[in-house]
Amino acid sequence: MAVDLVLKDGIVIVNDSEKVQSVAIDSGKIEGFYKHGEEPEGKRTIDCRGLYILPGLIDMHVHLRDLNQSEKEDYETGTMAAAAGGITTVVDMPNSSPPVLTREVLDQKIASASAKCYVNVGFYAGIGKRFDTSMVPDILGLKVYPHSPLTEGVNYDIKRIKKCVQLANKHDLPLLFHPDSATMDEKPETREEFFLIHSCESEVNSLQAFLDAKVEYEARLHVCHVSCAATARLILEHRAEHTLTAEVTPHHMLLSGENFPHTDGVAKMLPPLRSPYDTQMLAQALCKKCAIDCVGSDHAPHISSEKTTSFLEAASGIPGLETTLPLVLTEVFEGRISWIDFLRCCCSGPAMILGIPSKGILAEGYDADIVVVRKQEWHISGADFYSKAKLTPFEGRRVLAKPVTTIVGGEVVYHEGRFMVGPGIVGRVPIRKV
Ligand code: DOR
Ligand code: ZN
Ligand code: ZN
């Protein structure tokens, strides 16, 4: 019997080295791996000679902006950007308008995403004054923003942090947090003040406060976008705890603030870009020290006028769905990141943290969420993004990897610059397996 699809004679990564194989896909799953000439017949075959067949990336940190900020992004454009960027699963952050604090809003977001998506979309929830426990079965984690709480009048003091850690523990959900101990009334009046308020010290202190709370309630803590060497060091000291995981973004690992004049907001994000020392240490933390478990894009789109205004007035956040794979694979192709670390941080690590064990690995029986990549030199151009956000601090950067084909649940979604299906046809809401 013919299988649904054969990816023929591509390069797969086995034990950190490249091996030519064909991958057969059937009923949405990876059916098996075959030597040249031994493949089963496929209803469809894609010639992958010279191309890499990799697990689709799992980006556990994106802001897709639906429901009420669709001028910045929506589930359609955001997941098109993901598919074109080789990302087959994204997890949407709860700091939307309205924020995800109730079952009602979560349901609206799930309905909107299901109708418009091109890849799998999962969800996080925030913690309101009272936590709406009915959200638990359909979320992949809890997310908190100590420097900018989703509920007015809430202050992330020790008591509140303990309550969040306790809730995460009770519901066996990872507690993701944006490490920043700044408070809402610290309003910067100058650019320098902005960097002082959101300093490395503030990041480290915030991490320490969550670690202290975790001593009492052993919850799974996930540190979002580690940006400082000192934070990575503190994570390393707690490395033995499998309940502590950490993320880095491509921009904090590859760009330092010194290279940007910061007159406008094109390179403004929270946490801010740091020193060249921090950038270097983050890359080491990922590769040599294993202090980092995942790469997340922190795709945070804004409309261009919010980014081109003066630095202080500009919105924080940059698009990342279409740059993550090219940037990180360029590090692999140039020998600075190993294949193993790439696969660990971009695919299997996020699947493990999120508790979606059928994803993130290219192996028999796993979900057929796959990206086929060409090693090719090109230059990043925001104008070509499917995302509504076209301004990137990586504009013009030379990269060496281009997603060619993106497959979600065994269906070809994107191929050679074209979308092969309409919105809402492929992609599911991944549910946590406890
Ligand atoms: O730069 C950022 N933008 N950092 C955040 O934590 C939030 C994000 C956003 O939602 O725009
Ligand atoms: Zn954040
Ligand atoms: Zn974010």
Side-chain angles (χ1 to χ4, degrees):
M1 267 253 293
V3 296
D4 290 336
L5 176 64
V6 176
L7 303 175
K8 203 164 179 314
D9 298 329
I11 306 164
V12 299
I13 307 304
V14 183
N15 297 333
D16 216 21
S17 50
E18 302 179 4
K19 190 171 171 190
V20 174
Q21 279 200 320
S22 296
V23 180
I25 292 165
D26 201 50
S27 305
K29 301 276 178 190
I30 297 169
E31 189 267 349
F33 293 80
Y34 298 89
K35 281 192 200 146
H36 176 80
E38 295 181 2
E39 306 84 358
E41 195 189 322
K43 290 176 193 153
R44 180 172 177 200
T45 297
I46 299 178
D47 181 359
C48 293
R49 274 175 299 174
L51 307 177
Y52 290 83
I53 306 174
L54 304 170
L57 275 64
I58 299 176
D59 188 344
M60 58 180 286
H61 191 151
V62 307
H63 303 262
L64 295 186
R65 306 301 192 205
D66 246 323
L67 302 157
N68 296 335
Q69 290 180 316
S70 53
E71 71 283 4
K72 294 176 193 259
E73 195 81 288
D74 58 41
Y75 286 123
E76 182 163 347
T77 53
T79 59
M80 284 174 98
I87 294 165
T88 49
T89 300
V90 294
V91 192
D92 191 25
M93 285 293 172
N95 67 336
S96 47
S97 167
V100 185
L101 298 170
T102 61
R103 181 77 224 186
E104 194 189 351
V105 173
L106 178 64
D107 281 341
Q108 286 170 14
K109 286 187 92 172
I110 291 174
S112 179
S114 303
K116 298 195 246 178
C117 66
Y118 286 82
V119 301
N120 305 306
V121 184
F123 298 89
Y124 300 117
I127 302 170
K129 285 215 168 105
R130 292 190 47 202
F131 177 59
D132 182 347
T133 54
S134 65
M135 295 187 287
V136 169
D138 294 307
I139 55 175
L140 296 173
L142 301 170
K143 170 73 189 281
V144 294
Y145 299 83
H147 70 296
S148 177
L150 300 181
T151 320
E152 248 177 72
V154 164
N155 181 10
Y156 274 79
D157 52 17
I158 301 290
K159 201 167 143 226
R160 170 81 184 173
I161 294 177
K162 272 191 187 167
K163 187 183 155 208
C164 296
V165 172
Q166 198 178 1
L167 264 177
N169 170 292
K170 181 170 164 205
H171 297 290
D172 193 23
L173 285 163
L175 176 66
L176 292 83
F177 69 104
H178 176 126
D180 190 343
S181 38
T183 60
M184 286 298 272
D185 30 69
E186 287 178 273
K187 296 250 183 298
E189 284 179 11
T190 62
R191 203 162 45 197
E192 289 64 36
E193 261 177 37
F194 175 88
F195 290 108
L196 272 176
I197 292 170
H198 303 288
S199 64
C200 283
E201 197 183 348
S202 169
E203 184 169 296
V204 170
N205 289 344
S206 180
L207 169 57
Q208 190 62 60
F210 280 81
L211 288 172
D212 291 345
K214 185 172 166 294
V215 173
E216 237 169 290
Y217 307 101
E218 185 61 20
R220 284 188 286 143
L221 268 191
H222 178 75
V223 195
C224 291
H225 43 51
V226 174
S227 69
C228 302
T231 321
R233 213 175 301 126
L234 183 54
I235 290 165
L236 201 56
E237 285 167 19
H238 291 260
R239 209 48 204 158
E241 300 169 28
H242 71 284
T243 46
L244 179 69
T245 54
E247 163 194 276
V248 73
T249 66
H251 47 278
H252 289 115
M253 200 169 53
L254 298 171
L255 300 176
S256 64
E258 289 182 4
N259 296 328
F260 294 90
H262 288 317
T263 44
D264 61 17
V266 173
K268 182 179 179 183
M269 71 283 289
L270 279 174
L273 295 178
R274 306 293 187 186
S275 71
Y277 172 75
D278 289 298
T279 356
Q280 259 180 40
M281 288 299 138
L282 289 183
Q284 278 203 17
L286 189 154
C287 301
K288 297 206 178 75
K289 307 238 166 98
C290 291
I292 299 295
D293 304 272
C294 89
V295 171
S297 72
D298 198 1
H299 178 78
H302 295 287
I303 57 173
S304 60
S305 59
E306 293 170 311
K307 298 299 287 175
T308 51
T309 184
S310 72
F311 183 82
L312 268 186
E313 279 173 22
S316 295
I318 60 165
L321 286 168
E322 287 156 276
T323 48
T324 296
L325 178 150
L327 289 164
V328 184
L329 273 185
T330 299
E331 297 305 292
V332 174
F333 288 139
E334 294 194 330
R336 290 182 290 275
I337 292 183
S338 69
W339 275 114
I340 285 181
D341 284 330
F342 168 79
L343 294 170
R344 179 175 65 81
C345 289
C346 293
C347 309
S348 62
M352 208 129 71
I353 298 165
L354 297 167
I356 46 172
S358 62
K359 296 193 182 296
I361 298 181
L362 194 72
E364 192 183 321
Y366 279 75
D367 291 352
D369 293 345
I370 292 173
V371 59
V372 178
V373 173
R374 184 182 295 123
K375 187 175 181 184
Q376 163 195 338
E377 180 176 315
W378 62 287
H379 293 84
I380 288 171
S381 160
D384 297 334
F385 289 171
Y386 286 92
S387 169
K388 291 183 185 177
K390 314 280 184 200
L391 295 170
T392 167
F394 288 108
E395 184 66 35
R397 189 171 172 113
R398 171 186 164 272
V399 281
L400 298 178
K402 189 140 193 126
V404 181
T405 308
T406 304
I407 296 164
V408 177
E411 298 285 336
V412 179
V413 177
Y414 173 87
H415 184 60
E416 299 278 9
R418 290 177 51 211
F419 282 86
M420 311 308 287
V421 292
I425 309 290
V426 297
R428 299 238 163 98
V429 178
I431 302 291
R432 209 165 40 99
K433 297 230 168 41
V434 207

